Amino acid sequence: WTKADDVPLDVRMKQHQAVLEDGVLDPSNTVLAIFPSPMMYAGPTEVQWHAKARIACGAQFYIVGRDPAGMPNPETGKDLYDATHGRKVLQLAPGLPQLEIVPFRVAAYNTQNQRMEFFDPERRDEFEFISGTKMRRLAASGEEPPQGFMAPRAWKVLKSFYESRSDKS
């Protein structure tokens, strides 16, 4: 399940396959699979659900995303949860001692090096954050992202998806 403006699962899977084909990840030691659990936008509770479900499947490591999938405050529009809430909840949760929590490192587009890199706050002027919304807007309008932002074949998959949607309207 996704929000109405999200890229559908089959398209995202084609993008992931394209990343492997472009050699961004080594296909010989990369497993491409899905965990078919819908996003419920339940914040830190949902983070615990995803972690415990993965333990049941044998996972020993869990990367905690940039923020819990939460809803914005209806009055202020700001996220109800801090970006670190997911990690904090898992560190305090009982029943997770066998799971190593791996913190998420924020990546952004380095405009000087023309590639994605881990964000360095001391060099913040070198970085541009390209949100999923902006990325979808670029693809829908037929524009190209900055060089080095995404594997070329993966961008082609996304752009083709949006072109096919505009052909139908």
Side-chain angles (χ1 to χ4, degrees):
W1 296 341
T2 57
K3 293 180 184 177
D5 69 337
D6 282 345
V7 177
L9 176 62
D10 64 318
V11 177
R12 286 182 280 141
M13 293 303 288
K14 288 176 189 170
Q15 281 189 285
H16 297 322
Q17 186 62 44
V19 165
L20 292 173
E21 291 167 5
D22 276 347
V24 176
L25 298 173
D26 181 357
S28 68
N29 62 20
T30 302
V31 175
L32 181 56
I34 63 166
F35 182 71
S37 177
M39 296 291 286
M40 303 307 257
Y41 303 98
T45 303
E46 186 167 352
V47 173
Q48 289 182 63
W49 151 249
H50 281 279
K52 289 179 180 181
R54 284 167 174 82
I55 288 172
C57 295
Q60 296 175 340
F61 302 92
Y62 185 68
I63 299 172
V64 179
R66 68 185 184 282
D67 59 15
M71 298 300 289
N73 181 302
E75 293 178 13
T76 67
K78 292 184 178 182
D79 287 336
L80 294 174
Y81 305 106
D82 177 277
T84 62
H85 274 139
R87 185 179 74 242
K88 288 175 183 172
V89 165
L90 289 181
Q91 290 169 334
L92 298 171
L96 298 177
Q98 71 276 37
L99 190 66
E100 183 177 336
I101 308 303
V102 180
F104 179 83
R105 289 182 62 196
V106 175
Y109 181 73
N110 185 312
T111 57
Q112 292 184 354
N113 295 335
Q114 296 186 324
R115 65 179 186 211
M116 295 297 292
E117 294 181 359
F118 290 120
F119 177 67
D120 179 353
E122 294 188 13
R123 299 176 14 241
R124 75 177 63 250
D125 292 343
E126 295 175 24
F127 290 91
E128 178 183 355
F129 288 93
I130 300 174
S131 67
T133 301
K134 181 176 180 176
M135 180 183 66
R136 290 188 294 273
R137 212 176 296 138
L138 286 172
S141 66
E143 294 179 59
E144 295 296 319
Q147 181 180 337
F149 169 69
M150 184 185 288
R153 290 182 198 187
W155 182 255
K156 186 176 178 183
V157 168
L158 185 65
K159 195 170 156 185
S160 294
F161 165 71
Y162 280 101
E163 285 172 356
S164 73
R165 283 180 66 185
S166 67
D167 291 345
K168 293 176 184 174
S169 32

